[in-house]
Amino acid sequence: MGRGQPTQKKIISREEWEKKLARVHVKKSDMNKLVMNFLVTEGYVEAAEIFQKESGTDPGVDLSTITDRMAIRKAVQNGQVEDAIEKVNDLNPEILEDRAHLFFHLQQQRLIELIRTGQTEQALEFAQEYLAPRGEENAAFLEELERTIALLAFEDSSNSPVSDLLQPSQRQKTASELNAAILSSQCQEKEPRLPVLLKMMQWAQSRLDEKVLYPRINDLVSAKLEDPVLPSNESKHVHLRDDHHL
């Protein structure tokens, strides 16, 4: 579209958009399954039990098995990686035996925890004995190991270029990877469906933005429809088109 040419996007009013949304029917049972899937996958055992009683929705798994998985996840989030590894092996030793990347990341997290607590000598010995051999076999592992060891090069590692390794998000990343592996070993979905659907909605809105001006959801938390903002230099030239073919 050349500069100065009027916008060719259709405009849909809030009233018309809400009518379109009202024509989309979603079964309550499907919504309940979506909620239960989120609760089970994310490990909200008590909430899943309550929701099962209130809605009658089948969780699809033995809720008692979630407790072990959440204990493992919490151990990693608290920096107790060795304890988490022991729990995983008790649950199913094949989980780590069959996943070299996951096992390396857990060992890497153990190294990070040693560095975090100032155990420099132990960290170097651990890296040399358990991580260096794997780095020699895998270039990606070696790069991650070198980045982790770089924490020792700074007097204040919290202000170093690799300080992100010391952030809670790093523990969460490792915990999520382990959680997904456990779910996969139990033939369950690795991720809850709800976030995936939200990403699909965002993608659909971005595609729709190319052709239409319409009330959209910008804040996923509130999920409120917000009217489109027309550029001041184009608002006078916007063509109001029939939207019945949308």
Side-chain angles (χ1 to χ4, degrees):
M1 181 184 300
R3 181 177 298 178
Q5 293 181 358
T7 300
Q8 299 300 312
K9 291 183 180 180
K10 300 175 184 177
I11 296 180
I12 302 179
S13 67
R14 174 180 288 270
E15 181 181 2
E16 181 61 26
W17 190 246
E18 289 179 343
K19 287 181 180 179
K20 291 179 181 292
L21 293 178
R23 290 198 291 268
V24 178
H25 298 290
V26 180
K27 294 181 180 178
K28 185 176 181 180
S29 60
D30 289 337
M31 291 297 297
N32 288 342
K33 290 178 182 178
L34 190 63
V35 173
M36 180 61 81
N37 170 263
F38 178 82
L39 296 176
V40 169
T41 306
E42 290 299 302
Y44 297 109
V45 183
E46 293 183 5
E49 291 174 342
I50 294 173
F51 189 68
Q52 181 182 23
K53 292 178 181 179
E54 293 181 348
S55 67
T57 305
D58 182 8
V61 297
D62 182 354
L63 293 179
S64 64
T65 62
I66 300 177
T67 304
D68 292 334
R69 177 163 57 86
M70 287 301 98
I72 294 170
R73 183 174 183 173
K74 186 176 181 179
V76 177
Q77 292 172 331
N78 291 337
Q80 301 166 349
V81 185
E82 191 170 3
D83 182 41
I85 293 176
E86 291 180 1
K87 283 182 168 63
V88 172
N89 287 331
D90 289 340
L91 183 66
N92 183 354
E94 293 183 0
I95 293 176
L96 298 183
E97 290 176 0
D98 298 339
R99 296 170 174 82
H101 281 78
L102 172 59
F103 186 67
F104 176 84
H105 289 151
L106 286 170
Q107 297 290 58
Q108 179 190 23
Q109 192 63 46
R110 286 183 66 183
L111 176 59
I112 292 172
E113 301 305 335
L114 289 172
I115 295 174
R116 187 196 309 275
T117 55
Q119 302 180 65
T120 304
E121 291 186 9
Q122 294 92 325
L124 290 172
E125 291 176 1
F126 182 81
Q128 185 175 3
E129 182 175 355
Y130 295 101
L131 294 174
R134 294 181 178 274
E136 294 175 357
E137 301 171 356
N138 188 304
F141 289 170
L142 180 59
E143 183 178 348
E144 291 188 63
L145 174 58
E146 291 175 343
R147 189 166 183 269
T148 306
I149 290 295
L151 286 168
L152 296 172
F154 299 90
E155 183 175 347
D156 183 4
S157 55
S158 63
N159 289 321
S160 69
V162 289
S163 61
D164 59 290
L165 295 175
L166 298 174
Q167 297 299 315
S169 58
Q170 173 63 27
R171 286 179 173 177
Q172 181 60 46
K173 178 182 176 182
T174 305
S176 295
E177 183 180 0
L178 179 55
N179 185 61
I182 296 173
L183 285 169
S184 179
S185 73
Q186 297 173 342
C187 299
Q188 298 182 45
E189 295 177 73
K190 296 180 182 180
E191 298 181 40
R193 299 170 193 167
L194 184 57
V196 175
L197 290 176
L198 290 176
K199 290 178 182 178
M200 290 177 62
M201 186 202 72
Q202 290 179 312
W203 174 83
Q205 285 193 154
S206 67
R207 293 296 302 273
L208 198 57
D209 289 341
E210 298 173 4
K211 300 179 180 180
V212 182
L213 293 173
Y214 63 99
R216 72 195 311 280
I217 296 176
N218 296 316
D219 184 352
L220 296 181
V221 177
S222 66
K224 292 182 179 179
L225 288 175
E226 298 183 17
D227 293 326
V229 178
L230 302 179
S232 58
N233 61 335
E234 294 186 359
S235 58
K236 296 180 180 180
H237 305 288
V238 174
H239 295 323
L240 296 178
R241 293 188 170 189
D242 182 5
D243 61 354
H244 292 303
H245 298 293
L246 181 65

